Amino acid sequence: MSDTTRQELLERVKEQSVAFINLQFTDILGMVKTVTIPIEELPDALDHGVWFDGSSIEGFARMVESDMYLVPDPSTYSLIPWDQHAGLSTARFICNIYTPDGTPFTADPRHVLTSVLGQAAELGYGFHVAPELEFFLFHRDGVQQTTPLPHDNASYFDVSTDQATLIRRQMVRALRGMGIVTEAAHHEVAAGQHEIDLRVTEALRAADHTVTARVALKAIAQINGLYATFMPKPLATVNGNGMHVHQSLVDLATGQNVFFDPDDPYGLSPIARHFIAGLLAHARGMCVILAPLVNSYKRLVPGFEAPIYISWGRTNRSALVRVPRITNGRNQSTRIELRCPDPSCNPYLAYAVMLAAGLDGIKRKLSLREAAEEDLFHIDPRARGLAMLPSSLGAALDALREDEVIQAAIGPNVYERFVDAKQLEWESYRSYVSQWELERYLPIF
């Protein structure tokens, strides 16, 4: 950090009467962790970092290698809009994690994404993404939220029955206060379900914004006496929460979108087609990173606008990868949309594996099969030779174990710890006797 940047930050926090600083990072599962320091400790934190015990963080380190330290990223400084009180205002930095010898911690999800972005940069590409965050607003039922009771009975784009219009506006304003620009906010299909779309930006910044948005939306909901959840499928009979991710590559030398080709029927360049082919080739292997919960696979089922088959198209919203139409003259907006991720994922790891899959398609010049434009839920996909996404967390873990490209993208440390954590989750779920089983089987067997 330059002396100028350091001094500007110290002057800024003084002008804003900041009393506390939250130093934020995520574990490998994407859960936000925070160390809070008084403002008087900020100069030392900027100069030397802040030590913490990594053995207590999910997937970080074993007891014998627990010491590590947080280094604030100056570009992520922001006031926390909902935590402003007279004389007690709080700001935050997102941090990178280092080991005692001064090297980046390889299991830091932010480092994982930075590493894959470096590989793209070596090929001359920058990676831009824009996530669409879906979530439910439920009435609160106490300290432990266990009863999913929707806040309203509205549906897609409804106005008169949408009781959360003002709450979404508060959310958008809070995000803007933290430097996050939203493109749209609206009610989604299911009762109590909403969507906020973040503007496209460079992938590392987009991952920071995604993590921040999840925290912000929960905080604003709580202020309004509600509970916001990004659980993929909290209600069995309605649509689940997805996180469709729009993505594109840009030429680092010119800043131009390299996905566009005016002579292609879909407006896609050969690079874009190779990129999509890479996503499809590694869809099964990266699925557990993009949809990481047992519950995620109850969203990826027929009939609820979520993809099941590994396919691509434009008008087909049952496809895994969709190519949105662009307005004439806005060629820089050419992008592709991956529809299987859900908002419970770790965005640093998710964006890293998406990019790695696409780059593998480019490096190997993978060919892209014909688009599937018909509704795949109403035909026999086997007739088209379409493979399926994993149908369970266990199957998704097996697919990751077979995909060396995705394993390399997240690195051996994250791979080992992530698979261990998710295998325990899967085994715990498999041994659990649910209410559904008791109601179905106990009376008759």
Side-chain angles (χ1 to χ4, degrees):
M1 182 191 310
S2 69
D3 291 340
T4 301
T5 301
R6 180 183 184 278
Q7 189 58 35
E8 288 175 348
L9 278 172
L10 295 177
E11 291 176 358
R12 190 174 178 186
V13 297
K14 184 177 180 180
E15 292 171 359
Q16 295 174 335
S17 300
V18 174
F20 295 96
I21 297 290
N22 285 349
L23 302 178
Q24 177 184 312
F25 61 102
T26 65
D27 64 18
I28 64 167
L29 302 182
M31 304 304 294
V32 173
K33 305 295 181 179
T34 298
V35 175
T36 302
I37 60 173
I39 192 62
E40 293 79 11
E41 297 298 317
L42 179 57
D44 189 64
L46 294 174
D47 293 340
H48 306 292
V50 173
W51 290 89
F52 74 103
D53 179 8
S55 66
S56 301
I57 305 300
E58 180 70 62
F60 264 26
R62 292 176 285 272
M63 193 66 67
V64 295
E65 51 189 28
S66 60
D67 288 338
M68 51 192 65
Y69 63 97
L70 302 170
V71 175
D73 180 343
S75 68
T76 65
Y77 172 80
S78 173
L79 287 175
I80 301 177
W82 58 90
D83 197 3
Q84 301 302 303
H85 311 283
L88 294 174
S89 295
T90 304
R92 76 94 210 265
F93 289 92
I94 296 177
C95 298
N96 296 310
I97 303 172
Y98 288 81
T99 58
D101 62 2
T103 58
F105 179 49
T106 57
D108 174 10
R110 206 166 186 259
H111 173 73
V112 169
L113 177 54
T114 300
S115 296
V116 182
L117 287 170
Q119 297 170 27
E122 290 176 359
L123 298 175
Y125 301 129
F127 185 45
H128 290 185
V129 301
E132 300 176 352
L133 287 166
E134 294 178 347
F135 58 98
F136 279 90
L137 289 178
F138 291 142
H139 290 289
R140 299 191 67 85
D141 70 347
V143 177
Q144 295 285 339
Q145 183 69 28
T146 57
T147 304
L149 179 61
H151 173 241
D152 62 42
N153 292 313
S155 187
Y156 198 59
F157 281 15
D158 279 355
V159 176
S160 59
T161 55
D162 181 0
Q163 299 179 30
T165 300
L166 293 179
I167 297 174
R168 285 199 306 275
R169 291 175 182 173
Q170 292 175 34
M171 291 173 171
V172 169
R173 178 165 290 187
L175 293 177
R176 182 171 288 275
M178 302 187 78
I180 301 173
V181 180
T182 60
E183 287 198 333
H186 60 84
H187 202 286
E188 257 295 339
V189 173
Q193 188 183 32
H194 307 269
E195 176 177 309
I196 294 181
D197 303 337
L198 307 187
R199 178 173 290 179
V200 63
T201 189
E202 185 273 331
L204 182 62
R205 192 65 59 229
D208 291 341
H209 289 176
T210 305
V211 169
T212 300
R214 291 193 308 208
V215 173
L217 270 52
K218 280 184 168 288
I220 299 304
Q222 185 173 1
I223 289 171
N224 285 274
L226 300 174
Y227 182 80
T229 180
F230 298 96
M231 182 179 176
K233 189 77 170 183
L235 299 169
T237 58
V238 299
N239 288 11
N241 288 324
M243 189 182 79
H244 301 165
V245 179
H246 296 255
Q247 46 201 290
S248 60
L249 292 180
V250 299
D251 186 312
L252 289 177
T254 66
Q256 296 298 301
N257 187 315
V258 299
F259 275 7
F260 177 67
D261 184 344
D263 298 324
D264 182 82
Y266 284 82
L268 295 174
S269 68
I271 289 174
R273 287 179 168 270
H274 295 324
F275 192 96
I276 295 173
L279 290 178
L280 300 182
H282 296 287
R284 290 180 56 82
M286 66 180 174
C287 194
V288 73
I289 305 294
L290 308 179
L293 307 182
V294 162
N295 183 254
S296 297
Y297 297 87
K298 299 185 178 183
R299 168 182 167 259
L300 299 176
V301 295
F304 295 99
E305 299 184 14
I308 298 172
Y309 301 103
I310 300 174
S311 63
W312 75 283
R314 165 160 284 155
T315 60
N316 182 7
R317 291 183 179 269
S318 63
L320 176 64
V321 176
R322 192 175 75 88
V323 182
R325 294 187 184 276
I326 60 171
T327 306
N328 288 336
R330 298 190 64 188
N331 303 336
Q332 294 302 302
S333 297
T334 301
R335 63 197 185 279
I336 60 98
E337 174 191 10
L338 186 64
R339 298 173 62 82
C340 65
D342 69 55
S344 70
C345 70
N346 183 329
Y348 298 104
L349 300 184
Y351 299 162
V353 297
M354 292 176 203
L355 177 57
L359 292 179
D360 185 57
I362 293 172
K363 293 173 184 176
R364 294 198 286 147
K365 296 186 177 180
L366 296 180
S367 59
L368 185 62
R369 65 180 300 151
E370 181 183 354
E373 294 295 6
E374 62 269 57
D375 187 344
L376 299 176
F377 298 144
H378 294 90
I379 66 168
D380 183 358
R382 291 172 296 182
R384 298 207 52 162
L386 297 178
M388 297 180 66
L389 291 174
S391 59
S392 69
L393 180 64
L397 283 168
D398 288 342
L400 174 59
R401 292 185 179 104
E402 297 173 358
D403 196 318
E404 295 180 357
V405 169
I406 302 304
Q407 293 176 30
I410 61 177
N413 286 337
V414 170
Y415 170 71
E416 176 186 348
R417 290 163 171 80
F418 184 90
V419 169
D420 285 349
K422 289 298 157 181
Q423 188 65 40
L424 286 174
E425 180 181 341
W426 175 238
E427 291 173 358
S428 175
Y429 174 73
R430 289 181 61 201
S431 64
Y432 178 72
V433 179
S434 68
Q435 188 64 32
W436 182 91
E437 293 169 279
L438 292 174
E439 293 175 356
R440 187 174 183 91
Y441 302 129
L442 189 61
I444 59 176
F445 288 102

